[in-house]
């Protein structure tokens, strides 16, 4: 059944806006080529988008003759402002950006150990408000928060976790109460995977992969057919609880001691470096083959379990260990994984490093704003 004229207009307008978002300013002729629409249809949609305040003329193309088709059209970047927060156990980092995702201001704030939940959350909200004011953002449209722990897929609330500061949950509630904005909460590792999918290690050729986050804690994010998969309770990727050989015992519902976390968390990597006579501060950048081989063997155990269940074809090593280990560590993990599993699995290092969480949060906030503003 053919779409109605009004539905077709909505589809065409959204397609044009996405192209302007992804490709940058375009001429009407370029939009015609990329969309496959007729010249009159493109002219109509450009006029509609200009009238709605979503698109404006940003210049002229020097490659074409001067005239109507030589005008370059771009999205009105200040139509909406966005914010992204990377919430850690002892700090919070804030970025404020425009509708194109261009960073306008950024700031960080340490949060003291044992800080009372209310005052700590208030500090974080105040940091966001100051940063938005510095960026000239009178009103934030969408705010995405990346935090450790589980996020309920139905309520989008952070779930109670004994090991995480109480101010994390208080922060989400405070943001929703004090800001006239859409506030989205997401697990930090999931956001890192979103960023690697769209701007990082998986962008060019992978829409199915698993991201292993290797930092103070260990986690994973699952992306299948270009979509983030959270699981029934938001716990997909809690690989730190995975029972594996070589640990002190078995994990429990109350902690991941004895699970994969015991082999791959930052403290375990530091201990392994010291056991090889290396300074943990620079062991991952060293040329010490035995240390890297031993670490790769540990990481391959978790990666093999992931491959056996999901067969993702690609694993991205992220977090501090994945970033610092880079391609050398990724290549060793891939080689060891090939010995443990018959399933061909490529292993890549993150290309975004520590910026992945904030980039994923910013992309999430931008998507929410565009879904609301774009027809």
């Amino acid at each position: 059944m053919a779409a109605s004229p009004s539905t077709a207009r909505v589809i065409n307008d959204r397609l044009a806006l996405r192209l302007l978002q992804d490709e940058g300013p375009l001429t009407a002729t370029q939009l015609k080529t990329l969309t496959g629409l007729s010249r009159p249809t493109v002219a109509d949609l450009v006029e509609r988008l200009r009238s709605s305040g979503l698109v404006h003329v940003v210049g002229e193309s020097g490659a074409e003759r001067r005239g109507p088709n030589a005008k370059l059209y771009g999205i009105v970047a200040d139509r909406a402002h966005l914010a992204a927060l990377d919430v850690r156990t002892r700090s919070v980092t804030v970025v404020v950006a425009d509708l194109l995702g261009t960073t306008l201001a950024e700031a960080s704030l340490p949060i003291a150990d044992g800080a009372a939940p209310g005052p700590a959350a208030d500090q974080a909200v105040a940091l966001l408000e100051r940063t938005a004011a510095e960026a000239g953002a009178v009103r934030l449209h969408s705010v995405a928060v990346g935090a450790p722990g589980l996020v309920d897929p139905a309520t989008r609330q952070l779930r109670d976790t004994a090991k995480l500061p109480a101010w994390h949950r208080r922060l989400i509630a405070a943001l929703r109460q004090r800001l006239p904005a859409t506030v989205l909460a997401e697990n930090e590792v999931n956001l890192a995977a979103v960023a690697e999918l769209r701007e990082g290690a998986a962008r060019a050729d992978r829409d199915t992969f698993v991201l292993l986050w290797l930092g103070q804690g260990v986690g994973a994010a699952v992306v299948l057919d270009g979509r983030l998969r959270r699981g029934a309770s938001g716990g997909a990727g809690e690989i730190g609880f995975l029972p594996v050989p070589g640990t002190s015992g078995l994990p429990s519902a109350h902690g991941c001691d004895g699970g994969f976390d015991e082999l791959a968390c930052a403290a375990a990597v530091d201990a392994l470096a010291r056991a090889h006579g290396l300074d943990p501060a620079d062991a991952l950048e060293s040329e010490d083959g035995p240390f890297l081989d031993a670490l790769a063997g540990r990481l391959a155990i978790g990666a093999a379990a992931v491959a056996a269940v999901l067969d993702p074809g690609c694993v991205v090593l992220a977090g501090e260990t994945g970033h610092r280990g880079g391609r050398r560590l990724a290549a060793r993990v891939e080689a060891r994984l090939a010995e443990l599993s018959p399933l061909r699995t490529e292993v890549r290092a993150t290309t975004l490093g520590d910026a992945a969480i904030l980039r994923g949060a910013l992309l999430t906030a931008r998507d929410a704003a565009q879904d609301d503003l774009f027809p």
Side-chain angles (χ1 to χ4, degrees):
M1 181 176 179
S4 67
S6 59
T7 300
R9 285 194 294 271
V10 169
I11 294 172
N12 292 341
D13 289 355
R14 183 172 286 270
L15 173 59
L17 286 164
R18 292 298 180 189
L19 286 169
L20 290 169
Q21 173 70 72
D22 294 340
E23 305 294 335
L26 298 168
T27 65
T29 297
Q30 289 169 328
L31 280 171
K32 173 182 177 296
T33 300
L34 292 170
T35 61
L37 300 172
S38 68
R39 188 178 301 277
T41 299
V42 169
D44 288 343
L45 75 82
V46 167
E47 185 55 37
R48 280 196 304 275
L49 296 177
R50 290 185 66 184
S51 299
S52 66
L54 290 170
V55 166
H56 62 164
V57 177
V58 297
E60 291 185 345
S61 171
E64 297 180 290
R65 64 177 177 81
R66 298 180 66 84
N69 288 344
K71 293 178 180 178
L72 281 168
Y73 298 99
I75 290 175
V76 179
D78 60 3
R79 176 67 184 270
H81 289 95
L82 323 167
L85 284 76
D86 180 1
V87 179
R88 305 295 176 98
T89 54
R90 299 181 181 87
S91 67
V92 59
T93 301
V94 172
V95 167
V96 176
D98 60 25
L99 188 57
L100 290 173
T102 302
T103 297
L104 303 176
E106 183 172 358
S108 295
L109 179 73
I111 304 292
D113 251 351
D122 289 342
Q123 289 180 56
V125 175
L127 176 70
L128 173 57
E129 291 172 337
R130 290 195 302 270
T131 308
E134 178 186 338
V138 177
R139 180 183 182 278
L140 293 172
H141 184 284
S142 302
V143 178
V145 183
L150 301 182
V151 177
D152 189 295
T155 65
R156 309 308 303 151
Q157 296 279 1
L158 278 172
R159 293 172 56 185
D160 285 320
T161 305
K163 290 188 176 181
L164 295 177
W167 65 269
H168 283 195
R169 282 177 55 83
R170 185 69 64 88
L171 172 60
I172 303 301
L175 288 169
R176 288 173 174 160
Q177 181 178 10
R178 290 172 54 174
L179 298 179
T182 298
V183 178
L184 307 164
E186 183 59 88
N187 173 267
E188 58 180 351
V189 181
N190 285 345
L191 291 176
V194 169
E196 296 289 355
L197 171 67
R198 294 171 58 176
E199 297 183 347
R203 178 181 181 180
D205 58 353
R206 290 286 184 180
D207 65 357
T208 294
F209 67 96
V210 170
L211 180 139
L212 289 187
W213 184 266
L214 307 167
Q216 295 301 315
V218 174
V222 179
V223 176
L224 303 178
D225 299 323
R227 293 183 58 192
L228 182 68
R229 308 291 178 163
R230 298 179 177 87
S233 63
E238 285 296 310
I239 196 173
F241 287 86
L242 182 72
V244 294
T247 62
S248 60
L250 291 173
S252 72
H254 307 291
C256 53
D257 294 342
F260 181 59
D261 183 85
E262 190 174 302
L263 293 182
C265 70
V269 175
D270 288 351
L272 182 65
R274 286 190 289 268
H276 280 79
L278 301 174
D279 182 349
D282 55 20
L284 285 164
E285 289 87 1
S286 74
E287 298 296 330
D288 189 278
F291 163 69
L292 290 176
D293 287 341
L295 177 57
R298 292 185 176 191
L299 300 182
I301 292 173
V306 167
V309 175
L310 295 175
D311 188 18
C314 180
V315 170
V316 176
L317 304 182
E320 182 181 6
T321 298
H323 183 207
R324 290 173 57 201
R327 293 181 179 178
R328 290 181 305 157
L329 178 59
R332 283 173 162 85
V333 175
E334 182 174 325
R336 182 69 180 112
L337 180 55
E339 298 173 359
L340 298 177
S341 171
L343 304 175
R344 177 73 175 90
T345 306
E346 181 184 7
V347 180
R348 300 178 179 180
T350 172
T351 60
L352 298 177
D354 292 341
I357 295 172
L358 275 175
R359 284 306 305 168
L362 199 56
L363 288 166
T364 299
R366 192 179 75 183
D367 288 348
Q370 291 179 351
D371 286 344
D372 181 45
L373 295 174
F374 290 4

